[in-house]
Amino acid sequence: IPRADWEQALSDIPRHFEARLGFMSQEHHLVRNFVVREIPIKAQALSPLYIAQKLDLSPERTDSILEDLEKHLTFLYRNDQGAVTWGYPVTVERTPHHITFSTGEHIYAA
């Protein structure tokens, strides 16, 4: 494609992400970042109560945030019990993609 078209497309990226992530509060980011950090450490699904306790949020607020994040198909997926099984880019579900962190944790990639 012509360079000018490519550069125009790149310049639209910040606006695209701002529109896509505009629903997220500071607490949404807090929950999302926690899930992505914690899944490799725990190597198991994270219950909403566990997340709420670790982040000092009410269980109701945590459930609301998890629902928002899942509804927007943005960052996470929960199993039938409501526990978070993946927070992009990591998951406790078996995939063909494996990640090993410099700290030694092994996990699947989403």
Side-chain angles (χ1 to χ4, degrees):
I1 65 172
R3 183 179 181 92
D5 292 346
W6 179 70
E7 288 175 347
Q8 176 60 44
L10 289 178
S11 71
D12 289 340
I13 290 173
R15 193 166 10 106
H16 167 77
F17 279 106
E18 183 178 311
R20 184 150 188 217
L21 304 181
F23 75 95
M24 292 178 69
S25 68
Q26 203 170 12
E27 288 176 333
H28 283 78
H29 287 283
L30 180 70
V31 169
R32 190 268 177 193
N33 292 340
F34 175 77
V35 165
V36 171
R37 279 191 319 269
E38 194 73 5
I39 284 177
I41 294 168
K42 297 289 282 181
Q44 65 186 31
L46 306 177
S47 74
L49 185 57
Y50 176 80
I51 296 166
Q53 290 172 339
K54 290 294 187 176
L55 296 179
D56 198 27
L57 296 171
S58 73
E60 296 79 18
R61 180 65 180 141
T62 302
D63 284 336
S64 175
I65 290 169
L66 291 173
E67 184 176 317
D68 282 348
L69 292 171
E70 189 173 35
K71 179 178 76 176
H72 283 89
L73 302 174
T74 310
F75 300 115
L76 62 84
Y77 177 78
R78 295 179 290 172
N79 62 20
D80 291 338
Q81 294 74 42
V84 178
T85 58
W86 71 264
Y88 185 79
V90 295
T91 180
V92 297
E93 295 177 356
R94 189 172 283 250
T95 72
H97 313 290
H98 302 266
I99 298 174
T100 301
F101 292 93
S102 61
T103 52
E105 292 93 355
H106 301 277
I107 198 76
Y108 293 101

